[in-house]
Amino acid sequence: MFELIYRSKADDNLKSSDILDILNISKQWNSTHNITGCLLYYNHEFLQILEGDDIAVKDLFSQIEKDRRHSNISRISENEKSNRTFKNWSMAYHELKKSEIHDMNRQHFIDSFLTISQLAEKPTHVVKLFWFLSQKILKG
Ligand SMILES: Cc1cc2nc3c(=O)[nH]c(=O)nc-3n(C[C@H](O)[C@H](O)[C@H](O)COP(=O)(O)O)c2cc1C
C-alpha cells in the first residue's frame, strides 16, 4: 500500500462542470482500481491524498500531473504503509469559496470538516500532514 499527497492551484477558468467531470471520472476509476483518498477544493486550491497499490497510485498521479485543469502541482509527501486509512469513501470532494464563507451551510461544512480533521485517525505522518494542511487551507 502506498500513499501520496500533493497540492495544486486550480486553473483560473475552472468551471463547476469541470469539477463534476473530475469527480465522476475519479469515482469510477478509483473504485475499480482500489484507490481511496480525499480531495479538498477550497479557494482555488486542491489538496489530495491518494492511497492504494503502489503502481496504481503512481500511475494515476502521473495522469493527474498532466491535467490542464490545475497547475503548480507540488508533491508534498509519500510513504509505503500496510493499511488503508480512507476506507469509507472513494473520493470526498468539497467545493468552498471564500466569498461564500458566510453561508450557513458552507460554514457548517467547514466546521464539520475541521472537527473530522481533529478526530480522524492519523496512523502515518502523511495522513497527519494531510489533515494539518486541510486545516491550514480552510482557516486561510
Ligand atoms: C485536482 C485533480 C484531481 C484528480 N483526481 C483524480 C482521481 O483521484 N482519479 C482519477 O481517475 N482522475 C483524477 N483526476 C483526473 C485525471 O487528471 C484525468 O483526467 C483522468 O485520469 C482521465 O485521464 P484522461 O483525461 O487523459 O482520459 C483529477 C484531476 C484533477 C485536476
Side-chain angles (χ1 to χ4, degrees):
M1 174 92 13
F2 185 74
E3 62 183 351
L4 180 154
I5 330 175
Y6 71 87
R7 72 196 279 182
S8 63
K9 292 267 168 232
D11 184 87
D12 286 341
N13 302 313
L14 195 83
K15 301 184 292 284
S16 35
S17 61
D18 292 320
I19 298 285
L20 286 179
D21 291 344
I22 293 171
L23 193 56
N24 286 334
I25 189 102
S26 301
K27 271 187 184 157
Q28 233 169 42
W29 180 271
N30 297 4
S31 64
T32 54
H33 294 82
N34 278 322
I35 292 176
T36 47
C38 186
L39 173 64
L40 179 71
Y41 171 47
Y42 176 71
N43 201 25
H44 304 291
E45 269 200 78
F46 288 112
L47 174 71
Q48 189 173 31
I49 183 164
L50 295 167
E51 60 181 8
D53 170 71
D54 198 283
I55 309 249
V57 170
K58 286 174 184 165
D59 283 355
L60 173 59
F61 181 65
S62 64
Q63 278 293 115
I64 294 175
E65 271 187 308
K66 288 185 229 145
D67 199 307
R68 312 269 304 252
R69 290 169 288 198
H70 64 167
S71 59
N72 290 42
I73 297 144
S74 108
R75 191 167 171 151
I76 296 167
S77 197
E78 56 189 40
N79 182 46
E80 291 285 350
K81 61 176 179 179
S82 42
N83 297 310
R84 203 176 279 278
T85 311
F86 295 84
K87 298 181 191 86
N88 298 328
W89 63 68
S90 59
M91 192 62 35
Y93 154 73
H94 300 287
E95 179 185 18
L96 293 161
K97 290 185 186 133
K98 258 206 164 137
S99 58
E100 289 166 306
I101 203 151
H102 297 299
D103 181 289
M104 283 295 284
N105 289 332
R106 288 187 187 271
Q107 190 55 53
H108 178 72
F109 166 74
I110 293 174
D111 292 344
S112 310
F113 200 90
L114 288 173
T115 304
I116 292 167
S117 74
Q118 283 155 18
L119 300 176
E121 254 188 273
K122 300 178 185 77
T124 67
H125 76 275
V126 175
V127 174
K128 205 167 169 174
L129 195 55
F130 172 77
W131 289 116
F132 171 77
L133 291 171
S134 300
Q135 290 176 4
K136 255 184 84 173
I137 288 171
L138 289 174
K139 288 175 179 170

